[in-house]
Amino acid sequence: QVQLVESGGGLVQAGGSLRLSCAASQSIASINVMNWYRQAPGKQHELVASITSSSRTTYADFVKGRFTISRDNAKNTVYLQMNSLKPEDTAVYLCHTQIRYANYWGQGTQVTVSS
């Protein structure tokens, strides 16, 4: 029953940076993994980055070296720092977690990268 709320999206120029936040309604310290997905128009969700409760991170190849996922348990928040943004990064970015086979999604925050 955790609720996830994303923020931090916006319109930026190519090469710029944004930091997305995903605020959870309850403690995330014991949640095994939290994820950032993105969905561009006409496309399915694709996994961008993941972080475990022990702060192990995983990244999609298309964001390696540019994006960083992190977690602040005291704030019940997971972040996605996005640098060197490209127009093809334009999408709705969604926070996601799975608890006992139940999937929880935020509403998403729009990221638009202009040329």
Side-chain angles (χ1 to χ4, degrees):
Q1 63 270 31
V2 62
Q3 297 178 18
L4 306 172
V5 180
E6 303 95 335
S7 62
L11 194 157
V12 297
Q13 295 183 6
S17 298
L18 286 172
R19 189 177 79 158
L20 307 183
S21 298
C22 171
S25 61
Q26 62 189 54
S27 175
I28 64 169
S30 61
I31 296 178
N32 190 48
V33 63
M34 297 194 72
N35 308 296
W36 281 101
Y37 283 79
R38 71 185 187 187
Q39 185 176 31
K43 300 178 67 175
Q44 293 187 333
H45 291 87
E46 59 182 355
L47 182 62
V48 176
S50 301
I51 186 166
T52 69
S53 58
S54 60
S55 295
R56 289 191 62 193
T57 58
T58 303
Y59 299 94
D61 287 342
F62 52 81
V63 303
K64 283 182 178 177
R66 300 190 297 124
F67 292 8
T68 302
I69 188 171
S70 61
R71 187 188 70 242
D72 187 335
N73 290 343
K75 294 182 172 64
N76 292 329
T77 301
V78 63
Y79 303 97
L80 185 68
Q81 178 67 47
M82 306 186 297
N83 299 324
S84 301
L85 284 162
K86 306 174 181 179
E88 51 263 45
D89 294 320
T90 295
V92 174
Y93 284 72
L94 305 102
C95 187
H96 165 269
T97 193
Q98 184 177 17
I99 304 173
R100 289 280 186 174
Y101 305 107
N103 290 286
Y104 299 89
W105 296 88
Q107 294 186 116
T109 185
Q110 177 70 47
V111 172
T112 302
V113 184
S114 63
S115 300

